[in-house]
mmCIF file of all heavy atoms in Angstrom:
data_model
loop_
_atom_site.group_PDB
_atom_site.id
_atom_site.type_symbol
_atom_site.label_atom_id
_atom_site.label_comp_id
_atom_site.label_asym_id
_atom_site.label_seq_id
_atom_site.Cartn_x
_atom_site.Cartn_y
_atom_site.Cartn_z
ATOM 1 N N ALA A 29 -5.602 -14.166 14.107
ATOM 2 C CA ALA A 29 -6.896 -14.576 14.583
ATOM 3 C C ALA A 29 -7.651 -13.435 15.248
ATOM 4 O O ALA A 29 -8.886 -13.357 15.142
ATOM 5 C CB ALA A 29 -6.727 -15.748 15.608
ATOM 6 N N LYS A 30 -6.921 -12.528 15.906
ATOM 7 C CA LYS A 30 -7.560 -11.366 16.556
ATOM 8 C C LYS A 30 -7.838 -10.226 15.587
ATOM 9 O O LYS A 30 -8.507 -9.237 15.956
ATOM 10 C CB LYS A 30 -6.688 -10.869 17.684
ATOM 11 C CG LYS A 30 -6.546 -11.853 18.824
ATOM 12 C CD LYS A 30 -5.714 -11.291 19.918
ATOM 13 C CE LYS A 30 -5.583 -12.236 21.086
ATOM 14 N NZ LYS A 30 -4.765 -11.712 22.146
ATOM 15 N N GLN A 31 -7.343 -10.326 14.341
ATOM 16 C CA GLN A 31 -7.456 -9.207 13.413
ATOM 17 C C GLN A 31 -8.336 -9.520 12.224
ATOM 18 O O GLN A 31 -8.328 -8.748 11.239
ATOM 19 C CB GLN A 31 -6.042 -8.865 12.878
ATOM 20 C CG GLN A 31 -5.019 -8.586 13.967
ATOM 21 C CD GLN A 31 -5.422 -7.463 14.899
ATOM 22 O OE1 GLN A 31 -6.057 -6.494 14.520
ATOM 23 N NE2 GLN A 31 -4.976 -7.526 16.128
ATOM 24 N N GLN A 32 -9.155 -10.545 12.275
ATOM 25 C CA GLN A 32 -9.939 -10.976 11.122
ATOM 26 C C GLN A 32 -10.861 -9.832 10.652
ATOM 27 O O GLN A 32 -10.966 -9.648 9.432
ATOM 28 C CB GLN A 32 -10.777 -12.215 11.507
ATOM 29 C CG GLN A 32 -9.919 -13.450 11.636
ATOM 30 C CD GLN A 32 -10.751 -14.644 12.082
ATOM 31 O OE1 GLN A 32 -11.922 -14.536 12.458
ATOM 32 N NE2 GLN A 32 -10.115 -15.844 12.046
ATOM 33 N N ARG A 33 -11.538 -9.159 11.541
ATOM 34 C CA ARG A 33 -12.459 -8.080 11.131
ATOM 35 C C ARG A 33 -11.662 -6.950 10.427
ATOM 36 O O ARG A 33 -12.112 -6.478 9.373
ATOM 37 C CB ARG A 33 -13.126 -7.526 12.410
ATOM 38 C CG ARG A 33 -14.103 -6.423 12.113
ATOM 39 C CD ARG A 33 -14.746 -5.920 13.398
ATOM 40 N NE ARG A 33 -15.235 -4.541 13.213
ATOM 41 C CZ ARG A 33 -14.455 -3.441 13.341
ATOM 42 N NH1 ARG A 33 -13.178 -3.551 13.644
ATOM 43 N NH2 ARG A 33 -14.986 -2.245 13.140
ATOM 44 N N ASP A 34 -10.507 -6.594 10.918
ATOM 45 C CA ASP A 34 -9.698 -5.543 10.334
ATOM 46 C C ASP A 34 -9.175 -5.947 8.934
ATOM 47 O O ASP A 34 -9.223 -5.186 7.983
ATOM 48 C CB ASP A 34 -8.504 -5.157 11.188
ATOM 49 C CG ASP A 34 -8.942 -4.462 12.440
ATOM 50 O OD1 ASP A 34 -10.095 -3.971 12.513
ATOM 51 O OD2 ASP A 34 -8.096 -4.386 13.425
ATOM 52 N N ILE A 35 -8.726 -7.178 8.847
ATOM 53 C CA ILE A 35 -8.194 -7.721 7.562
ATOM 54 C C ILE A 35 -9.393 -7.752 6.521
ATOM 55 O O ILE A 35 -9.217 -7.401 5.382
ATOM 56 C CB ILE A 35 -7.577 -9.099 7.707
ATOM 57 C CG1 ILE A 35 -6.300 -8.932 8.565
ATOM 58 C CG2 ILE A 35 -7.234 -9.716 6.304
ATOM 59 C CD1 ILE A 35 -5.704 -10.247 9.042
ATOM 60 N N GLN A 36 -10.561 -8.148 6.975
ATOM 61 C CA GLN A 36 -11.711 -8.194 6.078
ATOM 62 C C GLN A 36 -12.076 -6.781 5.601
ATOM 63 O O GLN A 36 -12.435 -6.546 4.447
ATOM 64 C CB GLN A 36 -12.929 -8.854 6.731
ATOM 65 C CG GLN A 36 -14.092 -9.008 5.819
ATOM 66 C CD GLN A 36 -13.764 -9.870 4.548
ATOM 67 O OE1 GLN A 36 -13.322 -10.998 4.655
ATOM 68 N NE2 GLN A 36 -13.933 -9.283 3.388
ATOM 69 N N ALA A 37 -11.989 -5.798 6.485
ATOM 70 C CA ALA A 37 -12.287 -4.424 6.138
ATOM 71 C C ALA A 37 -11.295 -3.930 5.053
ATOM 72 O O ALA A 37 -11.692 -3.226 4.105
ATOM 73 C CB ALA A 37 -12.218 -3.514 7.370
ATOM 74 N N VAL A 38 -10.012 -4.292 5.189
ATOM 75 C CA VAL A 38 -9.001 -3.934 4.171
ATOM 76 C C VAL A 38 -9.377 -4.641 2.842
ATOM 77 O O VAL A 38 -9.349 -3.986 1.804
ATOM 78 C CB VAL A 38 -7.583 -4.315 4.665
ATOM 79 C CG1 VAL A 38 -6.607 -4.255 3.514
ATOM 80 C CG2 VAL A 38 -7.160 -3.422 5.806
ATOM 81 N N ALA A 39 -9.721 -5.927 2.914
ATOM 82 C CA ALA A 39 -10.113 -6.611 1.702
ATOM 83 C C ALA A 39 -11.330 -6.008 1.031
ATOM 84 O O ALA A 39 -11.435 -5.924 -0.206
ATOM 85 C CB ALA A 39 -10.376 -8.066 2.001
ATOM 86 N N ASP A 40 -12.256 -5.515 1.846
ATOM 87 C CA ASP A 40 -13.477 -4.854 1.320
ATOM 88 C C ASP A 40 -13.093 -3.548 0.568
ATOM 89 O O ASP A 40 -13.632 -3.274 -0.480
ATOM 90 C CB ASP A 40 -14.464 -4.579 2.420
ATOM 91 C CG ASP A 40 -15.066 -5.822 3.036
ATOM 92 O OD1 ASP A 40 -14.960 -6.920 2.393
ATOM 93 O OD2 ASP A 40 -15.678 -5.736 4.118
ATOM 94 N N ILE A 41 -12.159 -2.766 1.119
ATOM 95 C CA ILE A 41 -11.743 -1.561 0.469
ATOM 96 C C ILE A 41 -10.989 -1.929 -0.849
ATOM 97 O O ILE A 41 -11.207 -1.302 -1.851
ATOM 98 C CB ILE A 41 -10.865 -0.718 1.405
ATOM 99 C CG1 ILE A 41 -11.632 -0.210 2.599
ATOM 100 C CG2 ILE A 41 -10.251 0.482 0.613
ATOM 101 C CD1 ILE A 41 -10.811 0.423 3.712
ATOM 102 N N GLU A 42 -10.149 -2.948 -0.758
ATOM 103 C CA GLU A 42 -9.453 -3.411 -1.986
ATOM 104 C C GLU A 42 -10.445 -3.723 -3.096
ATOM 105 O O GLU A 42 -10.219 -3.342 -4.228
ATOM 106 C CB GLU A 42 -8.694 -4.737 -1.665
ATOM 107 C CG GLU A 42 -7.269 -4.605 -1.263
ATOM 108 C CD GLU A 42 -6.334 -4.356 -2.395
ATOM 109 O OE1 GLU A 42 -6.222 -5.137 -3.328
ATOM 110 O OE2 GLU A 42 -5.666 -3.315 -2.317
ATOM 111 N N ALA A 43 -11.540 -4.421 -2.745
ATOM 112 C CA ALA A 43 -12.540 -4.755 -3.770
ATOM 113 C C ALA A 43 -13.164 -3.549 -4.378
ATOM 114 O O ALA A 43 -13.560 -3.569 -5.563
ATOM 115 C CB ALA A 43 -13.609 -5.692 -3.172
ATOM 116 N N MET A 44 -13.247 -2.487 -3.631
ATOM 117 C CA MET A 44 -13.856 -1.247 -4.141
ATOM 118 C C MET A 44 -12.869 -0.491 -5.030
ATOM 119 O O MET A 44 -13.302 0.216 -5.972
ATOM 120 C CB MET A 44 -14.313 -0.349 -2.982
ATOM 121 C CG MET A 44 -15.536 -0.814 -2.285
ATOM 122 S SD MET A 44 -16.013 0.370 -1.004
ATOM 123 C CE MET A 44 -15.496 -0.457 0.470
ATOM 124 N N ILE A 45 -11.593 -0.483 -4.738
ATOM 125 C CA ILE A 45 -10.658 0.419 -5.418
ATOM 126 C C ILE A 45 -9.755 -0.277 -6.405
ATOM 127 O O ILE A 45 -9.160 0.382 -7.258
ATOM 128 C CB ILE A 45 -9.859 1.260 -4.413
ATOM 129 C CG1 ILE A 45 -8.933 0.371 -3.541
ATOM 130 C CG2 ILE A 45 -10.739 2.140 -3.540
ATOM 131 C CD1 ILE A 45 -7.983 1.130 -2.689
ATOM 132 N N GLN A 46 -9.603 -1.564 -6.289
ATOM 133 C CA GLN A 46 -8.712 -2.319 -7.228
ATOM 134 C C GLN A 46 -9.618 -3.221 -8.067
ATOM 135 O O GLN A 46 -9.673 -4.417 -7.886
ATOM 136 C CB GLN A 46 -7.715 -3.186 -6.404
ATOM 137 C CG GLN A 46 -6.775 -2.450 -5.560
ATOM 138 C CD GLN A 46 -5.732 -1.662 -6.377
ATOM 139 O OE1 GLN A 46 -5.538 -1.906 -7.517
ATOM 140 N NE2 GLN A 46 -5.002 -0.762 -5.689
ATOM 141 N N LEU A 47 -10.312 -2.606 -8.998
ATOM 142 C CA LEU A 47 -11.327 -3.324 -9.746
ATOM 143 C C LEU A 47 -10.776 -4.513 -10.514
ATOM 144 O O LEU A 47 -11.409 -5.563 -10.662
ATOM 145 C CB LEU A 47 -12.081 -2.348 -10.659
ATOM 146 C CG LEU A 47 -12.780 -1.212 -9.946
ATOM 147 C CD1 LEU A 47 -13.494 -0.314 -10.936
ATOM 148 C CD2 LEU A 47 -13.755 -1.741 -8.919
ATOM 149 N N ALA A 48 -9.586 -4.417 -11.037
ATOM 150 C CA ALA A 48 -9.060 -5.443 -11.937
ATOM 151 C C ALA A 48 -8.370 -6.550 -11.185
ATOM 152 O O ALA A 48 -8.413 -7.687 -11.639
ATOM 153 C CB ALA A 48 -8.017 -4.806 -12.945
ATOM 154 N N ASP A 49 -7.787 -6.264 -10.027
ATOM 155 C CA ASP A 49 -6.997 -7.301 -9.364
ATOM 156 C C ASP A 49 -6.983 -7.142 -7.855
ATOM 157 O O ASP A 49 -5.933 -7.100 -7.233
ATOM 158 C CB ASP A 49 -5.572 -7.431 -9.908
ATOM 159 C CG ASP A 49 -4.760 -6.174 -9.636
ATOM 160 O OD1 ASP A 49 -5.346 -5.087 -9.317
ATOM 161 O OD2 ASP A 49 -3.530 -6.222 -9.723
ATOM 162 N N ALA A 50 -8.123 -7.048 -7.258
ATOM 163 C CA ALA A 50 -8.211 -6.825 -5.770
ATOM 164 C C ALA A 50 -7.661 -8.101 -5.074
ATOM 165 O O ALA A 50 -7.909 -9.206 -5.466
ATOM 166 C CB ALA A 50 -9.654 -6.574 -5.364
#
Side-chain angles (χ1 to χ4, degrees):
K30 293 182 179 180
Q31 307 301 330
Q32 291 177 350
R33 182 181 154 276
D34 292 342
I35 295 168
Q36 185 59 58
V38 168
D40 292 345
I41 296 171
E42 268 282 300
M44 286 184 255
I45 64 173
Q46 299 287 348
L47 302 178
D49 65 343

